[in-house]
């Protein structure tokens, strides 16, 4: 019977955790929590011999049922930001009721935990979930994950190679971007080994980069001159609004850019190397993979 349960298993991070776990333990030890077992990603997971358990963060009873017999729960933070606070509370309470032994939670890198943070809307659920886990009595491992390296092209802009400009109000702030794959390998190792009980890890890169440095790297890799322009927030809002970008999207990107500018994501760490024995993919390596040729 499965003793490790992966939530968010149909998502981009969760799928990678399942795959990484399969190289470390038998499929019969793993269960995947999914909302829709017919979803392509769920069918693929089931095809690898992993048991599917249907549940939703919004449905408490379904969670208690899905968590039965589970000793280690990999809890992927919800993606429905306006509604995830009660969802996360459900997950922690259900884990307690079902007798889960250890919860590994995908939290969020940050420095400023007050409402003055430009990313307070994202950070709130993580900060509260960490507190609920710590007071629940369940063994926890908190993975304070930095921004996904996989999403760097979104920050640079889809047309960066055509325009030659990275346009983002992130100032001189640096970010320790980490790929989902490296985060997944770290999680899989933690889920199958000891020594990570009641620990919080900064899941971040060995070196953080500013967007000026990213522009320099990208110029060197592609041979094309790429400039970094950090506009004022007002100018950024006006430019993107005129370009037809929806207000909600502008606010989210502006918030993250401001967070970067204020140093929220500048932490570095060697945790991935220490736990997995492999260095995480760096920003220059990633840029070469995506933009060279
Ligand atoms: P993703 O591809 O959107 O996957 C989210 C997963 O959560 C999916 O499996 C989804 O299930 C599941 N889920 C969402 N709401 C749920 C609910 N109510 N009940 C049960 N499952 C639910 O996101 P990702 O790329 O894997 O990232 C994982 C998480 O990291 C996100 O959810 C978000 O909290 C956070 N995040 C971090 C960054 C970063 O840069 N560090 C960026 C974006 C997001 P379905 O397949 O059924 O939809």
């Amino acid at each position: 019977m499965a003793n490790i349960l992966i939530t968010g298993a149909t998502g981009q991070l969760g799928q990678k955790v399942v795959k990484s776990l399969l190289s470390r333990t038998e499929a019969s030890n793993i269960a995947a929590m999914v909302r829709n077992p017919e979803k392509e990603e769920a069918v693929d997971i089931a095809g690898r011999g992993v048991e599917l358990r249907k549940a939703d963060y919004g449905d408490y009873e379904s969670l208690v049922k899905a968590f039965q017999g589970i000793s280690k729960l990999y809890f992927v933070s919800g993606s429905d930001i306006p509604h995830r606070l009660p969802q996360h509370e459900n997950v922690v309470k259900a884990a307690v009721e079902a007798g889960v032994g250890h919860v590994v939670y995908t939290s969020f890198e940050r420095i400023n935990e007050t409402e003055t943070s430009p990313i307070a809307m994202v950070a709130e659920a993580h900060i509260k979930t960490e507190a609920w886990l710590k007071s629940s009595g369940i063994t926890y491992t908190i993975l304070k994950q930095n921004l996904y390296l996989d999403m760097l092209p979104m920050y640079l802009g889809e047309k960066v190679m055509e325009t030659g400009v990275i346009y983002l109000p992130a100032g001189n702030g640096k970010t320790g971007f980490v790929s989902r794959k490296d985060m997944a390998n770290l999680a899989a190792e933690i889920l199958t080994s000891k020594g990570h009980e009641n620990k919080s890890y900064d899941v971040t890169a060995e070196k953080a980069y500013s967007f000026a440095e990213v522009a320099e790297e990208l110029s060197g890799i592609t041979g094309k001159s790429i400039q970094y322009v950090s506009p004022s927030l007002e100018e950024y809002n006006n430019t993107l609004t005129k370009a037809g970008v929806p207000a909600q999207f502008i606010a989210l990107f502006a918030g993250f850019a401001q967070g970067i500018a204020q140093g929220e994501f500048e932490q570095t760490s060697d945790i991935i190397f220490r736990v997995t024995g492999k260095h995480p993919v760096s920003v220059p390596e990633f840029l070469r993979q995506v933009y060279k040729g």
Side-chain angles (χ1 to χ4, degrees):
M1 177 142 163
N3 63 336
I4 302 172
L5 180 83
I6 306 304
T7 70
T10 48
Q12 297 183 74
L13 178 64
Q15 285 176 71
K16 289 183 170 59
V17 175
V18 171
K19 283 183 193 154
S20 190
L21 269 177
L22 283 167
S23 68
R24 291 171 165 83
T25 186
E26 297 293 322
S28 58
N29 290 329
I30 312 167
M33 192 186 108
V34 301
R35 286 197 278 192
N36 176 6
E38 265 125 55
K39 198 173 175 180
E40 195 185 333
E41 293 81 359
V43 172
D44 176 73
I45 292 168
R48 294 167 191 266
V50 171
E51 177 196 348
L52 298 185
R53 296 192 183 183
K54 191 176 172 200
D56 191 304
Y57 292 160
D59 178 351
Y60 180 76
E61 293 306 328
S62 74
L63 294 169
V64 176
K65 207 169 151 211
F67 296 168
Q68 292 304 313
I70 296 301
S71 52
K72 283 198 176 181
L73 173 69
Y74 180 66
F75 174 15
V76 171
S77 55
S79 46
D80 182 1
I81 294 172
H83 301 114
R84 70 176 170 181
L85 211 51
Q87 295 179 345
H88 284 197
E89 197 171 13
N90 277 345
V91 174
V92 176
K93 284 189 175 159
V96 173
E97 186 172 336
V100 169
H102 184 166
V103 175
V104 178
Y105 173 62
T106 67
S107 192
F108 195 57
E109 194 60 276
R110 78 275 165 173
I111 291 169
N112 180 357
E113 297 201 343
T114 73
E115 282 175 11
T116 62
S117 163
I119 43 163
M121 75 289 186
V122 174
E124 187 196 8
H126 290 299
I127 294 164
K128 290 204 166 132
T129 306
E130 288 185 17
W132 290 328
L133 280 171
K134 286 178 179 169
S135 61
S136 71
I138 297 183
T139 300
Y140 61 83
T141 307
I142 288 164
L143 303 175
K144 289 164 70 183
Q145 301 182 158
N146 208 320
L147 300 183
Y148 292 148
L149 182 55
D150 320 58
M151 289 175 77
L152 182 55
M154 280 178 65
Y155 291 91
L156 303 186
E158 267 174 40
K159 295 185 179 155
V160 64
M161 294 315 298
E162 289 164 42
T163 62
V165 174
I166 300 170
Y167 184 77
L168 201 66
N172 297 322
K174 297 190 176 204
T175 306
F177 287 104
V178 175
S179 73
R180 288 188 183 92
K181 193 172 175 190
D182 285 321
M183 292 184 185
N185 287 338
L186 174 72
E189 191 59 41
I190 288 172
L191 288 163
T192 52
S193 61
K194 291 197 187 313
H196 310 290
E197 296 79 10
N198 298 329
K199 299 250 173 79
S200 294
Y201 294 140
D202 288 311
V203 181
T204 182
E206 292 173 3
K207 184 172 186 304
Y209 286 80
S210 68
F211 281 96
E213 290 167 326
V214 171
E216 207 181 311
E217 290 286 343
L218 198 51
S219 302
I221 288 164
T222 61
K224 181 174 174 173
S225 168
I226 308 288
Q227 304 297 318
Y228 169 53
V229 175
S230 180
S232 68
L233 263 187
E234 193 186 352
E235 192 190 325
Y236 182 74
N237 281 328
N238 290 341
T239 308
L240 268 66
T241 304
K242 276 188 200 142
V245 179
Q248 207 183 349
F249 188 80
I250 301 174
L252 198 65
F253 261 82
F256 275 93
Q258 282 298 287
I260 292 170
Q262 292 175 18
E264 292 288 315
F265 302 105
E266 69 185 11
Q267 302 88 327
T268 55
S269 164
D270 64 351
I271 187 69
I272 292 177
F273 180 69
R274 271 194 283 131
V275 174
T276 68
K278 282 191 184 155
H279 292 287
V281 173
S282 67
V283 163
E285 281 168 327
F286 175 81
L287 293 174
R288 267 194 295 279
Q289 286 167 15
V290 176
Y291 294 97
K292 196 170 166 70

